[in-house]
Amino acid sequence: MLYDLTVVQFSKMLNNLNHILDKAEAFAALKKIDMAVLLNFRLAPDQFNLIRQVQIACDTAKIGVARLTGHMDSVPTHDDNETTLEELRQRITSVLNYLEGFSEADFGHAEKVHVSQPRWGSKYLTGYEFAIEHAIPNFYFHITTAYAILRHNGVDVGKKDYLGAIPYKVPLI
Amino acid sequence: MLYDLTVVQFSKMLNNLNHILDKAEAFAALKKIDMAVLLNFRLAPDQFNLIRQVQIACDTAKIGVARLTGHMDSVPTHDDNETTLEELRQRITSVLNYLEGFSEADFGHAEKVHVSQPRWGSKYLTGYEFAIEHAIPNFYFHITTAYAILRHNGVDVGKKDYLGAIPYKVPLI
């Protein structure tokens, strides 16, 4: 289940984020707004701007999966120097490509692996705790904040853009 | 795992939301702002205000768990008529009390149960799909949006308030 909650669902949401950014680009063109205004917008003076929200959503996805599967050695690095929409798209694509390399089989030990991060010192979480209480809530936080920044600025995005396609089934008669 | 992802984690986040609302109340008192201004604030003219964000977070939690466990008959009803912080707190408490009545054992069929909602007509999702692609992303969306509304208005909330306590462990020497 951790594979579906992270690799599959993070990929879906990053694609939804791409779609939301497409809408922002179309809105900026229509309103003759410099896209940099939206990319640098923040909801509070001491909160990260849209560029940083996208960067952290990407990092939460790639690092979360790398730590759960014990693949920190292969995680792609990014220099956090994106300034344009095109560069943000490249970063999202890079993470999507990375996630695509994982399968359910990589998660055999994910629930029990000890996960740590440099700023936690010697402290750790089990993979199960890390996924449920840290990576997943953090990931949705940054996707939603990116969405909120654009919605606040007038971009016509709604819940369907955030959730993406839902695999509704029709009962057999 | 669905029990931990929903009952346990939704409860934790609703408690975090309570804590964030406490900070908003203290901020309003300090700045001599009518709390109703914050409760009725929205980030976009066509997005729900803080009251509605809290109501929907509560509903996503209670209805999500009720549908996954086949307990829609016991789900508490709320009339969506809250106008004060105290009333919102009562609603959160009501949902927390409801969630407390569930245990892991109630989730025996949760992954396979067919979940539907009135506006989906005859369409359905499996409980597994519903939890991962609908209930969980929706729940975090509304908690994060409530947080964003308050952060935007100057309330001193940060990621730790959103995530709550993390069960870090120290390795045995």
Side-chain angles (χ1 to χ4, degrees):
Chain A
M1 188 180 290
L2 284 184
Y3 168 74
D4 287 326
L5 282 161
T6 59
V7 173
V8 177
Q9 187 64 15
F10 288 175
S11 297
K12 178 180 179 179
M13 296 298 298
L14 287 174
N15 277 310
N16 300 349
L17 178 60
N18 257 332
H19 165 68
I20 287 166
L21 291 172
D22 289 346
K23 280 198 160 185
E25 184 179 37
F27 171 83
L30 183 70
K31 300 281 188 181
K32 304 194 193 314
I33 296 167
D34 184 347
M35 189 66 202
V37 173
L38 298 180
L39 292 173
N40 289 288
F41 194 91
R42 57 190 84 220
L43 288 173
D46 59 350
Q47 195 181 29
F48 289 132
N49 65 15
L50 176 59
I51 289 175
R52 194 83 193 100
Q53 299 295 341
V54 174
Q55 289 170 337
I56 301 177
C58 285
D59 282 1
T60 307
K62 79 179 182 190
I63 294 174
V65 168
R67 291 198 192 282
L68 286 170
T69 59
H71 281 86
M72 278 301 285
D73 52 329
S74 72
V75 74
T77 56
H78 298 95
D79 293 332
D80 294 337
N81 57 2
E82 292 88 355
T83 60
T84 68
L85 182 58
E86 192 48 38
E87 287 166 345
L88 281 183
R89 285 192 178 117
Q90 286 169 17
R91 181 157 180 161
I92 294 171
T93 299
S94 157
V95 174
L96 285 170
N97 290 341
Y98 177 65
L99 295 179
E100 211 171 315
F102 289 88
S103 70
E104 182 94 51
D106 294 308
F107 283 71
H109 302 290
E111 292 188 17
K112 295 189 174 161
V113 71
H114 288 195
V115 171
S116 193
Q117 295 191 2
R119 64 195 162 90
W120 296 356
S122 63
K123 293 183 294 184
Y124 69 92
L125 298 174
T126 66
Y128 190 78
E129 295 163 339
F130 170 69
I132 293 178
E133 299 191 53
H134 202 276
I136 293 170
N138 259 327
F139 178 77
Y140 286 115
F141 179 94
H142 293 288
I143 297 283
T144 302
T145 304
Y147 170 104
I149 288 171
L150 292 171
R151 180 88 183 248
H152 177 69
N153 278 281
V155 179
D156 181 27
V157 285
K159 184 63 79 61
K160 282 185 182 173
D161 299 306
Y162 168 78
L163 286 179
I166 300 291
Y168 297 112
K169 290 164 187 56
V170 179
L172 300 174
I173 305 296
Chain B
M1 188 179 288
L2 283 184
Y3 168 74
D4 288 325
L5 282 161
T6 59
V7 172
V8 178
Q9 187 63 15
F10 288 175
S11 297
K12 177 181 180 178
M13 297 298 298
L14 287 174
N15 277 310
N16 299 349
L17 179 61
N18 257 331
H19 166 68
I20 287 167
L21 291 172
D22 288 347
K23 281 198 160 186
E25 184 179 36
F27 171 83
L30 182 71
K31 299 282 187 182
K32 304 192 193 317
I33 297 168
D34 184 347
M35 189 66 202
V37 173
L38 299 180
L39 292 174
N40 290 288
F41 194 91
R42 58 190 82 222
L43 288 173
D46 59 349
Q47 194 179 31
F48 289 131
N49 65 16
L50 177 58
I51 290 175
R52 194 85 194 98
Q53 299 295 341
V54 174
Q55 289 170 337
I56 301 177
C58 285
D59 282 2
T60 307
K62 79 178 183 189
I63 294 173
V65 168
R67 291 198 193 281
L68 286 170
T69 59
H71 281 85
M72 277 301 286
D73 52 331
S74 72
V75 74
T77 56
H78 298 95
D79 293 333
D80 293 337
N81 56 4
E82 291 88 355
T83 60
T84 67
L85 182 58
E86 192 47 39
E87 288 167 344
L88 281 184
R89 286 191 177 117
Q90 286 169 18
R91 181 157 181 163
I92 294 171
T93 299
S94 157
V95 174
L96 285 170
N97 289 340
Y98 177 66
L99 295 179
E100 212 171 313
F102 290 88
S103 69
E104 182 95 50
D106 293 308
F107 283 71
H109 303 289
E111 292 188 17
K112 293 187 174 164
V113 70
H114 287 194
V115 171
S116 192
Q117 295 191 1
R119 65 196 161 89
W120 295 356
S122 62
K123 293 182 294 184
Y124 68 92
L125 298 173
T126 65
Y128 190 79
E129 296 163 340
F130 170 69
I132 294 177
E133 300 191 54
H134 202 276
I136 293 170
N138 259 327
F139 179 77
Y140 286 114
F141 179 94
H142 293 288
I143 297 283
T144 302
T145 305
Y147 170 103
I149 288 170
L150 293 170
R151 179 89 184 247
H152 177 70
N153 278 280
V155 179
D156 181 27
V157 286
K159 184 61 78 60
K160 282 185 182 173
D161 300 306
Y162 167 79
L163 286 179
I166 300 290
Y168 298 112
K169 289 165 188 60
V170 179
L172 301 173
I173 307 295

